[in-house]
Amino acid sequence: MRVTDIGAKAALPKPEVVLRAAIRAEIGPAVEFETTHGWTRSVFPITGGVMRGEGLDGVIIPGGADFAQLLPDDSYAIEARYCVRFNDGTTVMITNAGRMFPHASGGFQGRTRAAFEAPAGPYAWLSEAVFFGTAFSERGDEHNVFIELWEAVL
């Protein structure tokens, strides 16, 4: 189904998906509690990590967190907010929100949408781009979450 099938005069371009960066987010032990709404909230502090990509090399600044909500199917709705300081000293904020599902390996895997808040200059394009992420936490590794960020390019 394309937009031309429902009345548009021209087709939209198909986006290309381009891998832009890999992230290893280091996390600390979760603070977990039952809410009055009946769900479990887990807050994982982000204690550090790295981001690697073409022109996007940097470190994750301690102080962010992943705010996760345990859902009835044992998946988590997640929203992580953290800052990366690139090698040139520029700091940007990333918000990664999505879902993490139990994986047959015993870990979790999921997908996210990622949004950047970047200052004017060489990283400004990050604030305008559309990203999705693939994420994985490996069984037995309670200290790291791995993410790949993919840009949808028209």
Side-chain angles (χ1 to χ4, degrees):
M1 175 65 58
R2 299 294 307 260
V3 296
T4 52
D5 298 323
I6 55 174
K9 293 180 181 169
L12 297 170
K14 181 180 176 183
E16 178 185 350
V17 179
V18 179
L19 178 61
R20 294 295 185 200
I23 294 172
R24 185 189 74 239
E26 299 166 359
I27 58 174
V31 174
E32 295 184 317
F33 57 94
E34 294 290 325
T35 72
T36 58
H37 300 291
W39 63 68
T40 299
R41 175 66 71 182
S42 299
V43 180
F44 295 88
I46 297 174
T47 60
V50 297
M51 180 174 181
R52 296 287 181 261
E54 189 174 327
L56 298 175
D57 291 343
V59 297
I60 296 174
I61 301 170
D66 185 349
F67 302 92
Q69 177 186 354
L70 181 61
L71 300 175
D73 65 357
D74 290 327
S75 69
Y76 284 91
I78 61 167
E79 183 172 327
R81 291 177 175 256
Y82 51 97
C83 291
V84 173
R85 182 175 300 118
F86 291 121
N87 290 346
D88 68 357
T90 302
T91 299
V92 301
M93 184 171 158
I94 302 174
T95 301
N96 240 337
R99 295 274 300 273
M100 294 290 282
F101 298 89
H103 188 265
S105 69
F108 281 83
Q109 74 176 27
R111 58 192 179 277
T112 67
R113 62 190 180 284
F116 285 82
E117 294 177 40
Y123 302 102
W125 70 274
L126 293 169
S127 297
E128 303 303 322
V130 174
F131 292 95
F132 79 92
T134 53
F136 187 65
S137 63
E138 296 176 319
R139 179 180 179 204
D141 183 355
E142 298 178 6
H143 304 291
N144 297 291
V145 176
F146 299 93
I147 303 162
E148 290 184 335
L149 294 181
W150 299 81
E151 181 186 6
V153 180
L154 290 178

